[in-house]
Amino acid sequence: MDKVHSIRQLFYEQGKSVSDIAAETGHDRKTISKYLDMTDFNTPEPKKEDPENMCPKLDAYKPLIDQWLLDDRKAPRKQRHTAKRVFKRLLAESEGFDCSYRLVAQYVAYRKAQMNLDSKKSYLPLIHYPGEAQADFGTAQFFENSLSHEGKYLVLSFPFSNAGYLQLMYGENAECFMEGMIDMFAHLGGVPTEIWLDNTSTLVTKILKDGGRQLTDKFLRFSEHYGFRYKFMNPESGWEKGNVENKVGYSRRNFLVPPPRFMELSEYNHRLLAEADSDMDREHYHYDQTILERFGEDKKALLPLPDVAFDPARYETVLTDKWGRFTLEKGKHEYSVSPDHVCTNVWLKITSRQVQVMDMQHRSIVTHRRLYGDQKQSSMEWLPYLTAISRKPRSLFNSGIYDMMPENMQRYVKSCGSTDRGAILKVLAELTGRTGFDSALQTVNQALLYQVRDPDSLKNLYRRLYADVPELPPMPVQSGVPTLKQMPVDLASYDLLLQKGGAANG
């Protein structure tokens, strides 16, 4: 328009001819005449794009691109073609392909929109009322008593106020979910009126055709006990509970960086609840209030806590094998019971942290720390096995217990004499009962080093390693005790005496 305005000004205001204007501006006479005769100066309408005809060179490849995009309808959402992937495949699989990436990207965007494959969607803002909450898990590393865990953290957020709490957990099972929720409910002093949740298999067993859900018996009991309503999101629709999705990331960045280190998980979780309280004293992202001020409305709407405590543990029976062991998590995690409970049913009480083994009269046999992870693992409590075999030491090598022992312990008990072996096994059982099997094994390693094979030496080695022997201060010297002079010793005199005695005695 600057050029048009300049040409018209030269002609209409300065009176110059078309030839003069052409010589001065360098424009063609026909172009100048067109601008002088213009009567419509409206902004031209945008040209309609027609990607299908924008480049004849792409025509040969359009059916192939269309087929790839049609096949994407059957593929998982995260494994569908992007424009870059289409371009790379054309370069690799289509001989002679020489179109630009920009052209391919324009066509792919156009066809995705036509096929409803475009991931860009519009969302309606949701209205949240006081007392409503959303829950989700995140993944985080932490160190408990110097032991690294690739664990989870459960986040409970309140969209009305943007308040949120989190609890670190060892995993993402139903026990972790319910225990974390119970602790947060207790801290809040109430229960959310409604909780929005994902379709995790720990809570939902099946999604029905009509949109309904088949829920686990334990979750139904949990929701009825606390009286909250539940709402499950559509599959692969995390944006439906966007508040907690954002809160998961915020909690990780603000509470779990760097990876936390602590001695005991429950104590650290209490600290996280207090830190979440302190974090509310900041401005709400949308309203001219602090999060804490709006959270007051959430707390007023909470349901009261029930009078009766809820037990989130899972109870089940399992059959032990011929060694008195059983497995959980489809055989990935193995736990010991005792040689007195081989090939028999035992009761299990499973929490997020422990697996307690009981007999059929619910008397406790042994308690294990619960195992987590996808790798095969085993937890062995040796005290029942060592106690049992110490009563019958002659059957050690035929019982199967010997084969389960660590290699160093096998070497040690095999090197012991048959008369001492029973006493040695009793000592090992005693040491295991005191400070755990690792301390007994370390004592055995020391016994191998010093080549001692009797019970008393084993006990002394243990005391040296683990007994808390106080260091006594020097004995004070009383003031009345006289100072004694050291008598000089002439060893040559003793030599002479020994020589005389030797001669006298022949």
Side-chain angles (χ1 to χ4, degrees), residues 473-477:
M475 181 180 293
V477 180

Side-chain angles (χ1 to χ4, degrees), residues 213-269:
R213 304 290 192 276
Q214 281 186 359
L215 305 178
T216 63
D217 178 76
K218 194 69 176 183
F219 177 73
L220 285 171
R221 291 177 180 276
F222 178 69
S223 61
E224 290 295 334
H225 190 89
Y226 284 96
F228 64 86
R229 301 186 303 273
Y230 47 80
K231 184 176 181 181
F232 288 95
M233 303 299 96
N234 291 312
E236 298 184 358
S237 302
W239 62 84
E240 293 180 346
K241 53 180 182 58
N243 183 265
V244 74
E245 297 283 344
N246 292 329
K247 192 66 70 177
V248 166
Y250 177 86
S251 299
R252 181 178 59 252
R253 294 188 298 270
N254 289 274
F255 300 111
L256 304 176
V257 175
R261 295 174 180 269
F262 46 84
M263 292 302 296
E264 210 283 320
L265 182 61
S266 60
E267 292 180 5
Y268 187 76
N269 274 334

Side-chain angles (χ1 to χ4, degrees), residues 43 73 84 92 139 181 193 198 208 215 231 244 249 255 263 277 283 397 412 419 483:
T43 303
R73 290 181 171 179
K84 185 171 287 187
T139 303
M181 283 291 189
T193 56
D198 279 331
L208 305 177
L215 305 178
K231 184 176 181 181
V244 74
F255 300 111
M263 292 302 296
D277 284 335
E283 291 294 321
F397 301 111
Y412 183 69
T419 55
T483 304

Side-chain angles (χ1 to χ4, degrees), residues 145 180 188 196 222 272 406:
N145 197 16
L188 289 167
W196 294 18
F222 178 69
L272 283 176

Side-chain angles (χ1 to χ4, degrees), residues 279-292:
D279 186 61
M280 293 185 200
D281 193 18
R282 55 191 175 91
E283 291 294 321
H284 191 278
Y285 66 88
H286 183 71
Y287 297 98
D288 189 21
Q289 291 177 288
T290 65
I291 293 176
L292 184 60

